[in-house]
Amino acid sequence: MPTYVDRERGLVSREIFVDEEVYRLEQERIFCKQWLFIGHASQIPNPGDFFSSRMGEESVLLVRGKDGKARVFLNSCRHRGMKVCRYDEGNTPILTCPYHGWSYGLEGALIGVPRFKQDYDSELDRTQYGLLEARACDHKGMIWATWNFEGPDFYEFMGDMLPFHDSMLEATDGSDDEMEVLPGVQKWVVPCNWKFPAENSIGDHHHGVSHVSVELVGIGPGGRGSTRHGEAGSYKPLAMTGFPKTGHGSRGGGPNPNAVPRYPFPPFSDPATEAWHRAAWERHQINKPGQRPSWDRYGNGGNIFPNMNYHTRFPRTIMVAHPHGPTTCEMWRWFLVDKSMPFEVKQFFRSYFLRYSGPGGLTEQDDMENWTYATQASRGAIARRLPYNLQMGLGHTTESDEPLHGARYSGGFMSETNAMVFYGRWQELMDAAGNDPSVPNIADRAAARR
Amino acid sequence: MTTVEREDVLDRLLLRESVEEFFSAEYDLLDRRDLSAWIALFADGVSYRVPLQRNVKFDQQDKENMLGDLDTAWFADTKDTLVARVEQLQTGVHWAEEPVSRSAHLVTNVRILDRSPERGPADTVRTRCRILVYRNRLEREVDLFVGIREDTLRRRDASWEIVERTVFLEQNVLLAKNLTLFF
């Protein structure tokens, strides 16, 4: 694998955003190896509930078994490859392929084969032809999966990024209340490489140019004229934290031990939402005395390598950029609320999220334009020879010690540190030749784990 | 045909003509980029929705359109957010629309579903039509949106104002990179 990422000089080759062969290798070396976000437990609350998701280019099914466990299966019949399920979501006692009728139980076992006695002479070994099951992990309702059966477990994969990620899940009042996703997932096609949207939220902190028009209009939680992320009620550190070992990164730093807790929410234009947050803060001081909300300490978002990124609050949302060819991706977006929020508060956030995010979001619309035409202008034989420049902050970051050992940290200034951490990890994984999963035996490896 | 019947038919034709003319004039404003005049056609309490559409089982087609109050959507706008969209498009620095895209909005199959109360000052009609929206951006970027639109119109002077609009884009994964336009 050639070196596309020059970590010392802060340069990234354009080839990795346009080249067919690089893209093909990414599917093997990144999307078959990394943990990928599948969906949220609140999308499949009951046994038999399912949600159709993706892992890279592959269609997968997230299914709640009769035993209450969430499993992830490749959505492809083991007979002749037909999609076993073509619904976005639903509830079913059994998954039956529409092609020849092979049927699978909610735990993935092949339980029905038409003409098994008459024409297969009962010889087909049905135990070997269950749906291919990925290795899944349900972490606080966030369901992740990987095809890498021998690699690191989910917690090793997340490393020190875990508390940053988890701050998005924390209940507003600091209690153990769960969060849930609003029904429905926005899915849309963008003519750019998946790495543009994946890396975008990792924190270059200088989106003021892209989003100048939305700030002129003002669509924040405070209503018209308010800034899009909300007027922060408390100290928001300008900091970036990137993890070279995993490629993850956050806009925000580690917990500041000297920070004094104070009311953390922006003003809300809706009185009911404002009152609810005032009461939630009262409860927070009882639930977590002397503490700030974790999202107020760990920053407002980041990216889990390779392609899941999130905003912890204002807005509170998850995005996955699925690869769909070298210069096309499919973006999926979920929105999060506290489960215990009253209906009208959830409705307030829904309105705020939808005017901020997604293809119709006043903020996000401009992102897709930038990525589309950056892609187009990077395809030419000459253009490809010019690397992208990610030198902001280069050589000025510090290495964190405990508790974020090894993280690259830039505090108090803007930097492209996290993006370089992301691409550095990308190069490392792409260099790992000989590590590709062997296609014929992946089913055996899955079976061996059962 | 009796005189009463003829008057009834004529009445319905005049109503449909009035609604069709309103829709055509409205789309003309969009294609001529007169967004200030366009936004003025919406009532202050307008609900402007473009729901997501799910792939569901045959017997659950009533769940295909995600119209719930908490459902994610492409748009779930009030007058306030529609005005914000218009103002953003008028900043000249909304990069997704700078330079401005070309569009052609078509409206057809206009049907009056019901009307109440008859010819009073608060005359309200519910309508359903088909729309075809073409967008050409910069050089080669083309998006086509073909959808079903349901509107509730209320009499305003000699014309109408839009009280409620729901647009079914008839897409599951949105096949456009963004929605910087109106339907």
Side-chain angles (χ1 to χ4, degrees):
Chain A
M1 167 65 50
T3 299
Y4 292 111
V5 177
D6 185 337
R7 275 166 266 201
E8 279 68 44
R9 293 197 293 160
L11 301 174
V12 176
S13 167
R14 298 186 186 203
E15 294 283 354
I16 73 171
F17 299 90
V18 293
D19 186 73
E20 288 275 353
E21 179 60 14
V22 170
Y23 177 80
R24 193 190 66 75
L25 283 171
E26 280 179 335
Q27 303 317 302
E28 292 288 343
R29 296 182 185 177
I30 292 176
F31 289 96
C32 290
K33 303 295 276 189
Q34 295 295 294
W35 284 87
L36 303 169
F37 180 70
I38 306 297
H40 190 258
S42 61
Q43 296 180 273
I44 52 157
N46 302 309
D49 285 352
F50 65 87
F51 167 66
S52 293
S53 191
R54 287 177 59 147
M55 291 172 70
E57 291 193 330
E58 327 259 11
S59 171
V60 298
L61 291 171
L62 171 61
V63 183
R64 176 86 59 199
K66 291 195 191 86
D67 56 359
K69 194 179 159 197
R71 292 178 178 81
V72 177
F73 303 109
L74 187 70
N75 185 13
S76 182
C77 185
R78 292 296 303 282
H79 179 214
R80 299 289 193 93
M82 173 63 182
K83 272 191 174 183
V84 173
C85 175
R86 293 159 298 150
Y87 307 113
D88 292 342
E89 55 200 47
N91 182 283
T92 186
I94 189 171
L95 293 155
T96 301
C97 177
Y99 198 176
H100 304 93
W102 283 30
S103 296
Y104 303 89
L106 299 176
E107 289 75 37
L110 177 62
I111 55 176
V113 175
R115 310 195 69 78
F116 179 71
K117 282 182 187 153
Q118 303 96 305
D119 297 327
Y120 283 98
D121 298 312
S122 302
E123 287 167 1
L124 174 72
D125 185 356
R126 288 179 294 190
T127 64
Q128 296 303 304
Y129 288 90
L131 289 176
L132 182 65
E133 183 180 348
R135 181 183 175 193
C137 178
D138 178 345
H139 168 71
K140 297 186 175 181
M142 302 286 283
I143 297 161
W144 293 74
T146 181
W147 300 115
N148 188 345
F149 297 103
E150 287 99 21
D153 68 17
F154 173 73
Y155 295 96
E156 205 183 323
F157 161 80
M158 288 295 278
D160 290 330
M161 187 67 183
L162 193 67
F164 290 81
H165 164 275
D166 284 4
S167 66
M168 132 181 75
L169 311 176
E170 187 177 274
T172 307
D173 66 1
S175 70
D176 295 330
D177 281 347
E178 294 169 33
M179 62 120 213
E180 64 184 12
V181 295
L182 296 179
V185 180
Q186 290 182 332
K187 306 171 185 176
W188 71 106
V189 176
V190 187
C192 71
N193 185 274
W194 64 273
K195 291 187 286 301
F196 278 106
E199 179 240 290
N200 183 71
S201 281
I202 209 167
D204 59 24
H205 254 307
H206 53 282
H207 287 181
V209 175
S210 294
H211 300 309
V212 62
S213 65
V214 72
E215 290 301 43
L216 288 172
V217 171
I219 58 155
R224 286 303 305 284
S226 72
T227 182
R228 67 188 195 277
H229 292 300
E231 281 76 5
S234 69
Y235 165 75
K236 287 270 183 191
L238 174 61
M240 259 70 70
T241 309
F243 300 91
K245 278 185 217 156
T246 57
H248 313 321
S250 164
R251 300 192 305 277
N256 175 355
N258 303 319
V260 181
R262 60 183 235 197
Y263 185 77
F265 306 112
F268 298 100
S269 59
D270 169 50
T273 303
E274 179 73 24
W276 187 84
H277 281 81
R278 298 256 162 213
W281 181 240
E282 295 297 315
R283 296 198 301 278
H284 195 284
Q285 288 167 292
I286 295 163
N287 293 329
K288 299 263 176 71
Q291 287 185 41
R292 295 182 166 208
S294 67
W295 53 267
D296 195 30
R297 294 181 279 136
Y298 285 107
N300 61 350
N303 186 72
I304 311 295
F305 189 93
N307 64 339
M308 182 272 211
N309 66 58
Y310 65 92
H311 283 76
T312 55
R313 307 288 142 140
F314 319 117
R316 193 178 179 189
T317 171
I318 295 166
M319 188 279 285
V320 177
H322 300 289
H324 207 95
T327 56
T328 307
C329 69
E330 197 173 292
M331 291 176 67
W332 287 27
R333 197 173 272 294
W334 290 254
F335 299 103
L336 322 177
V337 290
D338 285 14
K339 204 169 187 170
S340 60
M341 271 176 186
F343 175 80
E344 59 271 25
V345 178
K346 288 180 183 174
Q347 246 195 338
F348 173 84
F349 277 113
R350 169 185 181 254
S351 166
Y352 165 54
F353 296 158
L354 294 177
R355 66 182 183 255
Y356 185 106
S357 297
L362 276 71
T363 305
E364 197 153 23
Q365 290 173 354
D366 288 315
D367 290 323
M368 274 79 77
E369 177 80 358
N370 288 328
W371 306 330
T372 299
Y373 290 99
T375 299
Q376 282 202 13
S378 298
R379 292 165 80 159
I382 292 295
R384 284 189 196 207
R385 297 175 200 182
L386 300 173
Y388 292 155
N389 179 309
L390 291 91
Q391 293 177 341
M392 188 185 278
L394 187 71
H396 295 278
T397 56
T398 51
E399 188 163 327
S400 304
D401 38 20
E402 294 296 329
L404 303 173
H405 31 283
R408 299 305 306 178
Y409 177 74
S410 65
F413 60 94
M414 294 186 190
S415 83
E416 288 168 329
T417 311
N418 284 359
M420 276 314 295
V421 163
F422 173 96
Y423 291 115
R425 177 61 173 155
W426 181 92
Q427 179 75 52
E428 187 177 75
L429 288 165
M430 293 293 280
D431 282 339
N435 220 2
D436 301 341
S438 155
V439 175
N441 70 15
I442 193 166
D444 300 339
R445 287 201 240 171
R449 283 189 62 254
R450 291 219 180 127
Chain B
M1 197 182 276
T2 68
T3 311
V4 174
E5 281 168 342
R6 285 165 66 100
E7 275 181 7
D8 190 48
V9 169
L10 194 62
D11 202 44
R12 282 189 284 124
L13 282 173
L14 285 170
L15 176 63
R16 204 174 71 196
E17 156 62 22
S18 164
V19 168
E20 285 186 352
E21 171 57 23
F22 175 76
F23 285 158
S24 297
E26 184 215 335
Y27 268 7
D28 203 37
L29 291 173
L30 282 179
D31 293 338
R32 289 192 291 111
R33 302 168 181 164
D34 189 351
L35 295 177
S36 301
W38 178 79
I39 192 68
L41 300 177
F42 289 82
D44 285 343
V46 68
S47 159
Y48 181 101
R49 298 184 298 179
V50 185
L52 304 184
Q53 293 178 301
R54 277 183 290 203
N55 296 308
V56 293
K57 285 186 177 171
F58 183 82
D59 60 1
Q60 296 187 340
Q61 289 171 66
D62 57 330
K63 293 183 181 161
E64 181 178 2
N65 298 317
M66 301 199 67
L67 288 166
D69 289 331
L70 292 178
D71 289 351
T72 302
W74 302 123
F75 291 88
D77 279 17
T78 59
K79 181 74 178 273
D80 189 51
T81 41
L82 281 178
V83 168
R85 290 179 193 283
V86 166
E87 286 182 7
Q88 185 184 29
L89 289 162
Q90 291 174 334
T91 59
V93 288
H94 183 19
W95 309 123
E97 279 296 326
E98 176 56 30
V100 180
S101 300
R102 285 164 282 274
S103 74
H105 286 70
L106 278 64
V107 55
T108 184
N109 300 29
V110 176
R111 298 190 60 225
I112 310 291
L113 299 180
D114 60 48
R115 174 184 200 186
S116 64
E118 288 289 318
R119 288 176 219 109
D123 201 358
T124 298
V125 291
R126 281 200 320 117
T127 68
R128 184 182 295 134
C129 62
R130 299 295 182 272
I131 57 168
L132 194 158
V133 178
Y134 164 88
R135 174 173 70 176
N136 171 254
R137 170 138 199 78
L138 296 181
E139 294 156 351
R140 293 159 170 249
E141 199 178 340
V142 170
D143 290 300
L144 268 184
F145 302 92
V146 185
I148 298 172
R149 204 183 73 192
E150 293 179 356
D151 292 290
T152 302
L153 306 179
R154 187 166 54 207
R155 273 280 175 212
R156 184 202 277 173
D157 305 324
S159 184
W160 303 94
E161 64 178 359
I162 302 158
V163 177
E164 203 176 302
R165 170 163 292 181
T166 309
V167 179
F168 303 95
L169 284 182
E170 307 306 328
Q171 293 186 14
N172 174 254
V173 174
L174 187 77
L175 301 174
K177 76 176 198 285
N178 63 17
L179 293 170
T180 52
L181 70 174
F182 299 103
F183 302 105

